[in-house]
Amino acid sequence: MRSCQSRLALLISGQQASAMAGDPLTWQTPEQEKRELEGFLQGLQALWRQSRPLQKKPKPRQGRRSRVDPFEAHADLIPQWLKAEADVGSQELLERLIALDPERYGPQHKRTLQRRIRDWRVARVQQCLESAAQRPETTTETREKVLPGVN
């Protein structure tokens, strides 16, 4: 047993001696390793802050269109179709526009038309909500009973 302990002591002292001599296989206590690791990580954070590229802020939109509105010629017709048939889809409206003016409209206008339909429907819902908010509230006493015994 004594020989194992002495060998272990020699091994440890040899590691410490080689560590002092600058040997890459250094022996450190856990506290020393923890301090060295924390120092390394702090240096890594500082290096990351210095080396990462600066992020550009997005430019605010100037409010002008970069292209001519493709639906300008029939801007009043599309909302009329949507009022008449609220559940009509963009594909059907695009087919109607292509039949109306095949040189002006094509399949490349589908996504733009979808955005216009979405915006129109959102505006319509907002109008309905605003008009509903302005109406006086009806109470249950003043409401006429539709089915006796149910309401």
Side-chain angles (χ1 to χ4, degrees), residues 14-68:
Q15 287 177 346
Q16 287 175 342
S18 66
M20 289 190 297
D23 192 3
L25 298 173
T26 61
W27 183 83
Q28 295 177 339
T29 64
E31 294 84 22
Q32 290 173 332
E33 286 183 2
K34 184 177 179 182
R35 278 183 285 180
E36 187 176 317
L37 181 61
E38 287 173 354
F40 172 75
L41 291 176
Q42 288 174 353
L44 193 61
Q45 286 176 343
L47 184 63
W48 171 254
R49 282 190 215 108
Q50 291 171 359
S51 68
R52 73 175 172 196
L54 297 175
Q55 296 177 356
K56 295 181 181 179
K57 293 182 180 177
K59 293 182 180 179
R61 193 165 180 195
Q62 299 297 324
R64 64 178 192 271
R65 294 182 181 270
S66 59
R67 298 180 186 198
V68 178

Side-chain angles (χ1 to χ4, degrees), residues 69-82:
D69 184 9
F71 302 108
E72 187 176 359
H74 300 100
D76 56 339
L77 186 60
I78 297 169
Q80 289 176 5
W81 285 340
L82 288 170

